[in-house]
Amino acid sequence: MIGDYNEKDKEMMVVSAKARSKSRLQELIEFAKISGFKKLGIANCKSVQPYADKLLEKLAAAGFEVVSVNCRDSGLDACMICDDMKGPCCDPLSQAAYLNAQETDMNINVGLCLGHGLLFQKYSKALVTTFLVKDFAYKHNMAAALEE
């Protein structure tokens, strides 16, 4: 089955080809620059905040305007999601709303839980890519689980 690519999709495929064969960080920076993106958003899990902060620093050093929001910034109480839950709760919809309001050109998922990342991507107006997949069992190295 061959995909039915429109012109915009074809452009993205060409940009991707130009940015590949580098580290994920280098690829991200190159892709964003070739695409003409100026403002990048980071949506991260609070538990990987140091990684999000470092990514923000590196992207800013590469010349981008970067805005960041962690999953607990909204102050959502878990009991608003489910009566059985209590305390601070992750809020991927608020993360998407915040970055949408900031009018980011592209958003970056840094360690959001699987379901939270799916919701964030669903509600983000900008393209979303994943930079870090949170996996504490394998120190965020997803491929290690496949080597067992």
Side-chain angles (χ1 to χ4, degrees):
M1 182 165 139
I2 297 176
D4 185 19
Y5 293 93
N6 63 36
E7 288 307 310
K8 193 165 180 107
D9 294 340
K10 289 177 183 177
E11 288 174 25
M12 187 176 295
M13 295 292 286
V14 170
V15 170
S16 293
K18 290 178 181 178
R20 70 177 179 227
S21 300
K22 299 171 173 68
S23 74
R24 183 66 172 192
L25 177 60
Q26 292 168 324
E27 182 180 16
L28 174 61
I29 290 169
E30 187 74 14
F31 182 90
K33 284 183 176 182
I34 293 170
S35 298
F37 297 155
K38 305 285 184 219
K39 192 170 191 179
L40 305 179
I42 295 174
N44 66 282
C45 175
K46 180 117 175 104
S47 68
V48 296
Q49 190 66 55
Y51 293 112
D53 292 343
K54 189 68 172 174
L55 178 61
L56 186 149
E57 180 183 303
K58 290 192 175 283
L59 293 172
F64 297 101
E65 180 182 351
V66 187
V67 291
S68 181
V69 59
N70 80 51
C71 61
R72 303 257 175 115
D73 279 349
S74 74
L76 177 67
D77 191 310
C79 66
M80 294 177 71
I81 302 295
C82 173
D83 290 338
D84 295 338
M85 296 168 51
K86 293 184 180 358
C89 182
C90 299
D91 192 355
L93 272 63
S94 288
Q95 287 176 291
Y98 175 77
L99 294 177
N100 290 342
Q102 297 295 313
E103 298 182 344
T104 53
D105 298 314
M106 181 172 70
N107 293 324
I108 305 159
N109 172 343
V110 179
L112 295 178
C113 295
L114 191 135
H116 300 163
L118 292 171
L119 286 171
F120 172 74
Q121 186 167 325
K122 178 180 179 180
Y123 291 99
S124 172
K125 290 180 183 175
L127 294 172
V128 177
T129 190
T130 299
F131 183 76
L132 177 91
V133 175
K134 180 174 58 181
D135 185 322
F136 293 112
Y138 294 101
K139 298 180 182 175
H140 314 305
N141 176 7
M142 294 299 300
L146 301 173
E147 295 174 2
E148 290 188 331

